Amino acid sequence: MRTWIKRTFMGVFGATLALGLTACGHRYGHERYANMSPEEKTQVRNRAVDRVASRLDLNAEQKARLEALAAKLQQQGAALRGSGDPRAEVRALVAGEKFDRTKAQALVGEKMAAVNAGSPEVIAAFGDFYDSLSPGQQAKVRDFMDRRHHGWWHRG
């Protein structure tokens, strides 16, 4: 595997792990989403797609590609979360007198396998969506990303 691909996967995994550990520290609506039925999660996804589609003025084909991307991202998120409770998994690592490095490494390996398995489909779906956008729509996407470059904690 090429070095840049490995670095990308490690970056995505590191961000996911950091977000997961951060999620352990506060409870702002995570339980609500975690306790939703698959139908409710699909409704939330569809509302997000509709909001993005309206802001970018997407046509039917572009919206279909965005819906495919959103579905792939939702599947990838479910694969990363796994079947257990992520907070319980992290708490189990520090439950004893010492940090359980073996369990942590197994958890990282499990998450990396999920990223490696699903990332080609996510990348392809994102590429299909982005490439279908007009130059003006692509500029709107880049502008949105530039405004958010400070990250989660630097809003406003």
Side-chain angles (χ1 to χ4, degrees):
M1 191 179 284
R2 293 186 177 159
T3 305
W4 68 271
I5 293 175
K6 286 182 183 177
R7 287 182 183 159
T8 301
F9 289 142
M10 290 303 293
V12 168
F13 174 72
T16 302
L17 183 61
L19 181 61
L21 291 174
T22 303
C24 291
H26 66 87
R27 299 192 178 265
Y28 182 72
H30 296 287
E31 301 86 15
R32 182 172 173 258
Y33 187 79
N35 294 327
M36 285 184 182
S37 69
E39 294 82 21
E40 290 172 323
K41 289 180 181 182
T42 300
Q43 288 175 352
V44 169
R45 183 185 75 215
N46 290 340
R47 282 195 302 267
V49 166
D50 289 341
R51 191 169 45 247
V52 171
S54 70
R55 288 185 182 168
L56 291 177
D57 298 321
L58 300 181
N59 62 32
E61 177 192 347
Q62 293 169 327
K63 187 174 178 182
R65 291 178 190 262
L66 178 60
E67 288 169 347
L69 172 60
K72 292 292 180 193
L73 287 171
Q74 192 174 29
Q75 290 172 354
Q76 183 73 357
L80 280 172
R81 281 187 298 279
S83 60
D85 177 17
R87 289 181 184 94
E89 291 173 345
V90 173
R91 281 193 300 263
L93 297 175
V94 295
E97 291 180 21
K98 296 190 179 219
F99 180 74
D100 191 342
R101 297 166 199 262
T102 306
K103 236 186 229 183
Q105 189 62 44
L107 183 62
V108 168
E110 185 180 302
K111 302 303 180 188
M112 283 300 297
V115 168
N116 287 333
S119 61
E121 293 176 0
V122 171
I123 291 169
F126 186 80
D128 290 344
F129 168 68
Y130 188 78
D131 293 345
S132 74
L133 298 177
S134 70
Q137 290 168 323
Q138 289 177 351
K140 284 182 182 180
V141 170
R142 287 190 297 271
D143 182 52
F144 175 76
M145 293 173 78
D146 286 344
R147 284 185 284 142
R148 305 271 305 173
H149 82 278
H150 292 294
W152 184 262
W153 303 110
H154 295 90
R155 293 184 178 189

